[in-house]
Amino acid sequence: MIVPRFSLRLKLVLITSLLATIPPEIIGIRLIDVNALTLEELHRELQLAVVDDISRTIDQEFVDAQDGLNAVGRVLTDPSLPEDQIITSALALVESSESLDHVGIYDSRGALIDIIREEEAPRSQLPTPLPTTLRQDATEHNAATGSVDVQSDGARVLVIVPLRASTSAVTGFAASQLSLRRIQRRVERLSAARFGGTANSIFVVDNELVIVAHPNPDRLGDSASDSTILSGGTDQLFRGELART
């Protein structure tokens, strides 16, 4: 049997003829469906990339703050340093840190001893005494964080590390109200660049659904429980696979 060999042109004509038998409305609907799914997938990938960007920014901010507090702690517990150089050296570390503008020094019982502060730093409120639960967490995990507090210069969160001398015993604590201004600026930039400044396009909340970073700074401290994406949500939303430390 001889199998006819169709030219490319003939094949294209046959395909065109077959398509011509399908109502154009069906073809159009199918193309719209495909395009919609593609756009939806692309937008989802964009959202995930932005969330990952903000997540890494937050992680780095807290790592930098913890490293800065640990550096101050090493100076304060260094027996080789003369007493008149300890505060001077600790202040130099605070002034050179991008994350810290002050450090509160506490004794082992949580009583505030002194505050090392940059000259132009806002007068952020440090807890006194340091709560027992936070001291226990810091002792056990070498760091702890308190609740978020929206102050006049923006949102801040308490970060604590234990102080240890030559022995492993905790002799005190160093703490700072970490400013979230760099996270706030990052959220503002991403909202403008990726979502055209759309209201509520991206924001950061704490585990009580309080907004701590938002394209609109006036929303800081508001509850996000009434927003579309978190409507009816509770702190249980952040447990399990969604939980982050």
Side-chain angles (χ1 to χ4, degrees), residues 169-210:
V170 173
T171 58
F173 299 88
S176 181
Q177 288 280 10
L178 171 64
S179 172
L180 303 185
R181 62 184 180 276
R182 290 200 291 181
I183 298 171
Q184 170 66 24
R185 288 198 295 264
R186 189 62 180 162
V187 166
E188 291 177 4
R189 285 196 296 268
L190 285 173
S191 174
R194 299 300 186 185
F195 304 109
T198 303
N200 299 322
S201 56
I202 177 172
F203 52 90
V204 180
V205 300
D206 66 6
N207 61 341
E208 296 179 352
L209 303 185
V210 174

Side-chain angles (χ1 to χ4, degrees), residues 28 31-32 44 55 58 66 72-73 91 105 115 118 120 136 144 146-147 160 184 199 213 215 242:
L31 290 175
I32 290 173
R44 184 182 297 112
S55 177
I58 293 172
Q66 184 177 339
V72 172
L91 178 58
I105 309 303
I115 300 177
E118 291 182 356
E120 299 179 357
Q136 291 174 341
S147 59
I160 308 156
Q184 170 66 24
L242 292 180

